Amino acid sequence: MTSGSMGSSPRRPDGWAKVTGTFAFSSDLSMPGMLWGATVRSPHPRARIVGIDVSGALALEGVRAALTHLDVPGAPCYGLELRDQPVLAATEVRYEGEPVAVVAADDPDLARRAAEAVLVTYAPLTPIVDAEAAARGEGEAVHAGRPNLLRHVPVRRGDPNVEAPVVVTGEYEVGMQDQAFLGPESGVAYPADDGGVDLHVATQWLHVDRDQIASCLGLEPERVRLTLAGVGGAFGGREDISMQIHACLLALRTGRPVKMVYRREESFRGHVHRHPARLWYEHGATRDGRLVYVRARIVLDGGAYASSSMAVAANAATLGVGPYRVPNVRMDSYVVYTNNPPCGAMRGFGAVQACFGYESQMDRLAHACGLDPVELRRRNAMTTGDLMPTGQVVEGPAPVAELLRMVAERPAAPRTTAFGASGGHTTRGEGVVRGVGYGVGIKNVCFSEGFDDFSTARVRLELRDGRPVVTVHTAAAEVGQGLVTVQGQIARSELGVPDVVVAPADTAVGSAGSSSASRQTYVTGGAVQAACQAVRRQVEATTGEPYDPTALPRLLARTGAVEETVRWHHRPTKGLDPQTGQGDAHVQFAFAAHRATVEVDVELGTVRVVEIVTAQDVGRAVHPQAILGQIHGGTVQGLGLALMEEIQVTDGGIRNPSFTDYLIPTIMDVPQMRVELLELADPHSPYGLRGVGEPPAISSAPAVVAAVRAATGVELSRVPIRPHDVVWGAGR
Amino acid sequence: MRVTATVNGRVHSAEGVRPTESLLDLLREHLHLPGAKNACEQGECGSCTVYLDGETVCACLVAAGQAEGREVVTVEGIGGGRSSSLQEAFLTCGAVQCGFCTPGLLVSAHALLARCPQPDDRQIREALSGNLCRCTGYEKIIEAVRMVAEGGSR
Ligand code: FES
Ligand code: FES
């Protein structure tokens, strides 16, 4: 086996640059003669724009441009699914922080002062902030002429009126979570000789950015060239446009390179968040705890613009009863426009909100049936061949019961942990109680509902100084997950060549699709595999000899450089029936289970997570160490959702846009984490692998909350849990 | 204004530093040392951690002018000896994903190992509690520091 191939854990090729400070993140870029851009943002969640006066900004020495909606040469709006979001607001602003103008100046301070000098006159309107009213079709329209209901996804299965002897109901709420990647939105745009523009930017999907930029600039896509700059984390928050179009507009207008870097506060306002949700569930079961039906209603607040809301609503609906066998389902998932901050993709994408609802219900049901929560789940766990509520057959391994068994059978968390018993508490002893909770979740991998989901890989095999070298070129965004490493591993395995170079990702090669939906190792991995195999075939066809890595110096001397570009699709999916929600909408399902152990100080309401055990089926562990990294990181984001992370919104305004007030877990908040992997090959995916990134972020929050409930007996129906929820609940 | 400081062992002078600029701006924009990162610029994330006269500070909270005549060491300057093994350990253990937190964490961990060559897990956590990481869940970061600490005792 070629060293560094699949199944081993070679080092990241960008690793040394990252530990020596030389890796160029998008915020590190600079060019000669570069200007700095800044954005003028609305202070109102909803207002009519009465006038915009940029003369004050332009009067400042060193300010080179101040642009409004009138300066957008192409389409005025962009968007992932609906083009409903203005590049710069024209007549109305629909959320607090919406861009109204952009400026470019000689230095960043001056750019910020110029932004402040742009005079925008607003006539504030009462913001529309009630998502449930919007779902009922009540209230004024956020977008004139369009209903506030963006999408309703019904799923109907079985008998709608069936009854059951044991019924539990619950109403749940999920707060607005933020991706809180550390690297701020940033990039540099510079004008090109052909009238086009080049942009180096941190993003998740170069081509979909390019297409939106080109459309708004009124340029052919070929004249807009994007190169991936170093990405400081993404988690869904870079799937939408932020500063991309603005920087390009300013560069084309000034004829100079323009850099934009968001500050943290601007970042909190400048990207979409996880949809906050309200969920109503009714579970009916037999006395021995077998599910008869689930009825549910989920309302997701999409905020001011659509982003990927429609797909989020479909995920919540189709995955909304969890990894369980349920013969009768009546599910309604709604996503609406409001004047709250726009919401879109975040790791887990609709499955996270639903999982908090259905897993809370499974615990209630276990209690009602007098069953252990693991046993109740085991009795209902889906397996291969079962039907989703959409009628889709679950193909391939679905080891839900097995994953639960794996986390449940781990020895209990030790009483005294390595970092002491006092972390997070000021008292010790009587006030501190311990609890254990479980969660299991399901996630679709890749894009669904008939989306044309593919990736493109170009692989070149040639001799350099007499040695065979492989170059892999894709547009796939490395966002930290380790895709660059995996591409090299696949090429080494397929071609038997140790020297593999992964070229920088850019739009000079075809689209790779998004680094989201846990899909890149699957889809770009599949494309790299296919391109490598095409290269092998070409070597064989040209030389008439079987491909042999040890003979490559001789074979390639005859063939010259061999290069193949392959566009690779996963199996097609289908749309959902708009009335019944039936359809084979997903290509692959992924599962993980968590067991959380917590200690709660019931007097202070503080929670310390002592241990989290995760079990996940990864199909095939391409890079075992990177998989652990995904599981640790995803699990901790779920812990954050359970205990601390929430964008607080009042009347449409964000109250906590800083790391002082929006808390993400620190090293003191994270517990010991134990991980168990299953590798049950999926017969349909490349190498049998299963998407890894999202499942661990889905069930960890419900497991932590279940553990807090078990410790305190308090009915917690909202995440994040606030200390007063525990204290007041315990006092009741 | 003009600021002169010793950075990573070399005397650097920067002209045209604005009074509003921080040590982080001085390093990143004037001296072209972008290793220290800018995740929050308000002292909350630790991504900008550097040494100032041997003490670790958040460079975003120090005015550029305060560095005048003083000694600064950044991630670009901590290589060599035990810090190389720290950098190696971060890579060996998989403690680097996106890497945006990495420079600050390396400087904080470097400082910990300098004052406490064999820290236990609790000391590691306390020393790194000012450094946010959004990708790794910290597990592999702890493992990497532990690896160097244990290596030192051999
Ligand atoms: S950038 Fe200095 S602490 Fe965050
Ligand atoms: S590796 Fe991305 S923030 Fe730490």
Side-chain angles (χ1 to χ4, degrees):
Chain A
M1 192 174 85
T2 310
S3 120
S5 55
M6 298 193 32
S8 64
S9 294
R11 284 188 179 187
R12 311 179 57 94
D14 56 10
W16 190 248
K18 285 181 174 178
V19 296
T20 50
T22 55
F23 181 81
F25 289 94
S26 54
S27 49
D28 299 335
L29 304 174
S30 93
M31 289 181 76
M34 182 175 85
L35 301 173
W36 291 75
T39 313
V40 180
R41 292 178 183 273
S42 165
H44 305 288
R46 183 174 179 230
R48 236 170 8 85
I49 297 175
V50 178
I52 309 172
D53 179 3
V54 298
S55 60
L58 290 171
L60 296 172
E61 165 105 30
V63 174
R64 309 294 166 181
L67 309 181
T68 70
H69 66 99
L70 297 172
D71 301 294
V72 178
C77 294
Y78 65 91
L80 286 172
E81 296 184 2
L82 284 180
R83 302 234 157 157
D84 63 349
Q85 186 155 3
V87 175
L88 293 166
T91 56
E92 186 177 347
V93 287
R94 298 187 180 86
Y95 73 97
E96 182 201 72
E98 178 159 358
V100 178
V102 286
V103 299
D106 290 354
D107 71 62
D109 286 344
L110 184 58
R112 272 191 283 275
R113 270 191 288 136
E116 282 162 24
V118 172
L119 198 68
V120 185
T121 314
Y122 298 96
L125 301 165
T126 308
I128 298 150
V129 296
D130 185 344
E132 287 157 56
R136 290 192 301 267
E138 296 166 16
E140 275 181 275
V142 173
H143 293 259
R146 272 187 227 167
N148 287 343
L149 179 58
L150 260 165
R151 189 176 183 191
H152 166 211
V153 185
V155 178
R156 302 283 181 266
R157 177 127 214 104
D159 177 354
N161 302 314
V162 66
E163 291 181 9
V166 183
V167 175
V168 293
T169 59
E171 183 178 336
Y172 305 95
E173 191 178 344
V174 177
M176 184 185 288
Q177 193 179 16
D178 190 78
Q179 298 83 355
F181 43 71
L182 288 199
E185 288 88 343
S186 45
V188 177
Y190 51 98
D193 293 338
D194 66 352
V197 63
D198 280 73
L199 174 68
H200 292 241
V201 69
T203 180
Q204 289 175 230
W205 190 354
L206 289 166
H207 284 77
V208 85
D209 279 8
R210 180 200 62 180
D211 292 349
Q212 293 175 88
I213 298 166
S215 146
C216 295
L217 297 179
L219 291 171
E220 306 82 61
E222 302 71 48
R223 289 207 285 163
V224 178
R225 288 161 295 262
L226 269 67
T227 302
L228 189 71
V231 183
F235 318 116
R238 297 189 206 266
E239 201 161 64
D240 291 80
I241 292 285
S242 58
M243 43 57 68
Q244 288 89 329
I245 304 173
H246 298 155
C248 292
L249 274 174
L250 290 167
L252 288 173
R253 177 58 73 98
T254 59
R256 291 169 63 173
V258 175
K259 175 170 179 170
M260 295 186 86
V261 183
Y262 287 2
R263 290 250 163 134
R264 182 52 51 180
E265 176 176 350
E266 188 172 24
S267 175
F268 272 108
R269 297 185 206 284
H271 62 249
V272 298
H273 312 288
R274 188 190 298 293
H275 291 72
R278 290 187 80 94
L279 312 96
W280 293 262
Y281 274 91
E282 178 179 319
H283 280 56
T286 60
R287 283 189 214 290
D288 63 349
R290 292 181 204 275
L291 286 169
V292 175
Y293 70 84
V294 174
R295 291 175 196 142
R297 177 182 154 89
I298 299 173
V299 176
L300 300 152
D301 187 346
Y305 295 103
S307 178
S308 50
S309 281
M310 282 80 84
V312 170
N315 268 15
T318 57
L319 309 172
V321 306
Y324 302 113
R325 240 186 333 259
V326 191
N328 304 288
V329 174
R330 194 175 77 210
M331 159 71 71
D332 292 281
S333 165
Y334 302 86
V335 66
V336 297
Y337 280 131
T338 63
N339 292 116
N340 287 321
C343 290
M346 182 174 171
R347 196 177 196 171
F349 202 82
V352 167
Q353 295 91 330
C355 187
F356 177 59
Y358 64 70
E359 284 301 82
S360 297
Q361 284 288 100
M362 293 304 270
D363 284 337
R364 275 191 192 178
L365 188 59
H367 185 72
C369 295
L371 285 171
D372 170 80
V374 175
E375 176 56 21
L376 185 273
R377 285 174 171 80
R378 197 193 57 76
R379 287 187 188 183
N380 293 287
M382 68 164 43
T383 186
T384 307
D386 282 337
L387 291 184
M388 295 292 289
T390 55
Q392 179 164 8
V393 178
V394 178
E395 297 175 347
V400 178
E402 173 73 0
L403 294 170
L404 280 162
R405 187 190 62 73
M406 289 165 80
V407 295
E409 285 183 357
R410 285 290 306 208
R415 282 278 146 189
T416 345
T417 57
F419 56 107
S422 66
H425 298 308
T426 54
T427 61
R428 288 181 65 172
E430 332 80 64
V432 177
V433 287
R434 182 175 272 230
V436 176
Y438 295 87
V440 58
I442 178 171
K443 179 69 188 36
N444 58 321
V445 174
C446 301
F447 281 25
S448 297
E449 294 189 84
F451 189 89
D452 182 26
D453 196 14
F454 64 87
S455 179
T456 315
R458 179 176 297 157
V459 171
R460 184 180 172 89
L461 174 59
E462 65 198 319
L463 290 179
R464 282 195 211 154
D465 300 329
R467 283 172 59 86
V469 177
V470 179
T471 306
V472 179
H473 186 189
T474 75
E478 166 63 52
V479 296
Q481 80 280 47
L483 188 67
V484 283
T485 323
V486 164
Q487 291 183 57
Q489 289 178 273
I490 291 174
R492 280 185 211 106
S493 294
E494 292 296 332
L495 294 172
V497 173
D499 285 352
V500 178
V501 179
V502 178
D506 59 29
T507 52
V509 63
S511 176
S514 181
S515 291
S516 65
S518 306
R519 66 179 281 290
Q520 277 300 23
T521 299
Y522 190 130
V523 189
T524 291
V528 172
Q529 178 191 28
C532 288
Q533 289 168 350
V535 163
R536 288 175 71 119
R537 284 194 301 272
Q538 200 190 316
V539 171
E540 290 178 343
T542 313
T543 61
E545 291 186 43
Y547 183 88
D548 175 2
T550 61
L552 280 176
R554 183 172 57 77
L555 297 175
L556 292 176
R558 286 169 59 196
T559 59
V562 176
E563 182 179 293
E564 290 285 347
T565 304
V566 173
R567 178 187 270 211
W568 189 87
H569 285 78
H570 60 70
R571 290 184 299 151
T573 57
K574 296 203 187 84
L576 294 169
D577 181 282
Q579 265 78 48
T580 64
Q582 298 296 293
D584 294 349
H586 301 306
V587 72
Q588 187 186 56
F589 298 102
F591 307 92
H594 286 95
R595 182 187 76 187
T597 305
V598 303
E599 286 175 355
V600 186
D601 185 320
V602 286
E603 282 146 33
L604 298 173
T606 50
V607 176
R608 195 169 72 84
V609 184
V610 176
E611 184 201 60
I612 298 187
V613 184
T614 310
Q616 185 169 336
D617 175 23
V618 300
R620 165 92 186 264
V622 177
H623 189 300
Q625 187 187 66
I627 285 174
L628 290 186
Q630 287 298 303
I631 292 176
H632 294 147
T635 299
V636 168
Q637 289 182 357
L639 182 160
L641 175 62
L643 297 179
M644 62 189 83
E645 293 187 32
E646 183 175 13
I647 301 253
Q648 292 161 17
V649 180
T650 306
D651 295 329
I654 297 181
R655 282 162 40 207
N656 56 340
S658 72
F659 282 148
T660 314
D661 298 314
Y662 183 92
L663 302 180
I664 65 172
T666 72
I667 202 167
M668 300 300 275
D669 299 311
V670 302
Q672 302 272 347
M673 288 186 274
R674 318 247 172 237
V675 176
E676 307 254 2
L677 296 185
L678 273 182
E679 292 187 68
L680 307 178
D682 179 331
H684 297 290
S685 68
Y687 309 110
L689 65 82
R690 203 171 282 285
V692 168
E694 292 172 290
I698 292 172
S699 45
S700 60
V704 169
V705 177
V708 179
R709 287 192 198 109
T712 61
V714 179
E715 284 293 334
L716 298 159
S717 56
R718 181 185 196 285
V719 281
I721 300 171
R722 297 155 298 194
H724 66 251
D725 297 333
V726 173
V727 177
W728 295 348
R732 253 185 241 143
Chain B
M1 67 183 172
R2 178 195 174 94
V3 179
T4 304
T6 305
V7 182
N8 299 332
R10 270 187 52 207
V11 178
H12 286 264
S13 257
E15 299 286 349
V17 179
R18 297 182 299 279
T20 52
E21 287 188 293
S22 65
L23 171 57
L24 185 61
D25 297 322
L26 175 71
L27 293 167
R28 291 175 54 83
E29 307 305 336
H30 294 272
L31 303 181
H32 305 291
L33 289 167
K37 292 290 171 257
N38 56 339
C40 77
E41 298 180 72
Q42 48 191 182
E44 289 291 344
C45 74
S47 73
C48 62
T49 307
V50 299
Y51 282 106
L52 180 61
D53 285 348
E55 298 283 329
T56 54
V57 295
C58 289
C60 68
L61 294 183
V62 176
Q66 281 178 270
E68 177 64 38
R70 300 172 73 181
E71 190 160 345
V72 180
V73 179
T74 71
V75 69
E76 288 100 334
I78 61 162
R82 209 162 175 218
S83 40
S84 297
S85 47
L86 192 59
Q87 288 159 317
E88 290 281 345
F90 265 57
L91 295 176
T92 304
C93 295
V96 178
Q97 288 187 30
C98 83
F100 209 82
C101 64
T102 306
L105 274 160
L106 283 168
V107 173
S108 294
H110 185 262
L112 167 68
L113 292 170
R115 65 172 184 270
C116 174
Q118 257 112 59
D120 60 24
D121 279 11
R122 188 193 176 126
Q123 289 168 314
I124 295 172
R125 285 180 190 260
E126 277 172 3
L128 305 183
S129 62
N131 292 83
L132 296 178
C133 172
R134 189 53 159 169
C135 301
T136 65
Y138 305 102
E139 181 87 11
K140 295 290 185 186
I141 292 167
I142 297 169
E143 193 181 311
V145 178
R146 207 188 277 144
M147 175 184 273
V148 180
E150 283 164 5
S153 65
R154 257 182 240 132

